Amino acid sequence: MPGSRRLDKIPYPDTVEDDTVHRFVKWRSQFQLAQTAKAISDLIADYLQVLPSTAIAQLPGSCQDALKDPDIQAAAITLLQCEMRHQGTPESLELLHEIAHTFAAASIRLSQLEGRGEPLGATSSG
């Protein structure tokens, strides 16, 4: 649509990787299709692999630490809190928003799976 903002790109300075592969909508869809907590965990691991290291380096230290946390729900909370306190550039806020909401979507799906009786540590495949 002419004049509309492209929603499939976030600019990452100094990167040459395809920056469309980490977008929230794609990952949210994948989380909704996941049937186990392990599938969610695997998707988050894949998501972290496609985030450029230069993009992660732009985040506050507490966010970088949260991305290393195997507890997706705790990481989502930390990332969302960082987003609310953000005082950096508009570009870094856009990046943080994208990552925080991707983790939040994963966290919500984990809660849904837990609500239907699957323990969060379950590793069964479907």
Side-chain angles (χ1 to χ4, degrees), residues 89-103:
T89 66
E91 293 81 15
S92 65
L93 176 59
E94 188 173 4
L95 169 65
L96 182 53
H97 175 83
E98 181 76 25
I99 295 170
H101 286 261
T102 299
F103 268 75

Side-chain angles (χ1 to χ4, degrees), residues 16 26 30 61 68 84 86 98 101 107 109 117 120 122-123:
V16 294
K26 172 196 173 196
Q30 293 299 309
K68 298 172 190 169
M84 290 187 297
H86 185 270
E98 181 76 25
H101 286 261
S107 177
R109 183 61 178 149
L120 290 181
T123 59

Side-chain angles (χ1 to χ4, degrees), residues 7-27:
L7 296 177
D8 62 342
K9 294 261 187 197
I10 287 182
Y12 289 120
D14 305 322
T15 62
V16 294
E17 294 102 348
D18 178 4
D19 59 10
T20 63
V21 292
H22 70 280
R23 295 299 300 177
F24 170 72
V25 173
K26 172 196 173 196
W27 293 99

Side-chain angles (χ1 to χ4, degrees), residues 15-57:
T15 62
V16 294
E17 294 102 348
D18 178 4
D19 59 10
T20 63
V21 292
H22 70 280
R23 295 299 300 177
F24 170 72
V25 173
K26 172 196 173 196
W27 293 99
R28 180 184 60 189
S29 297
Q30 293 299 309
F31 297 139
Q32 289 304 313
L33 294 172
Q35 296 298 308
T36 66
K38 182 178 183 328
I40 298 289
S41 180
D42 290 347
L43 283 167
I44 283 291
D46 291 346
Y47 175 73
L48 291 171
Q49 289 296 311
V50 300
L51 286 175
S53 59
T54 54
I56 293 172

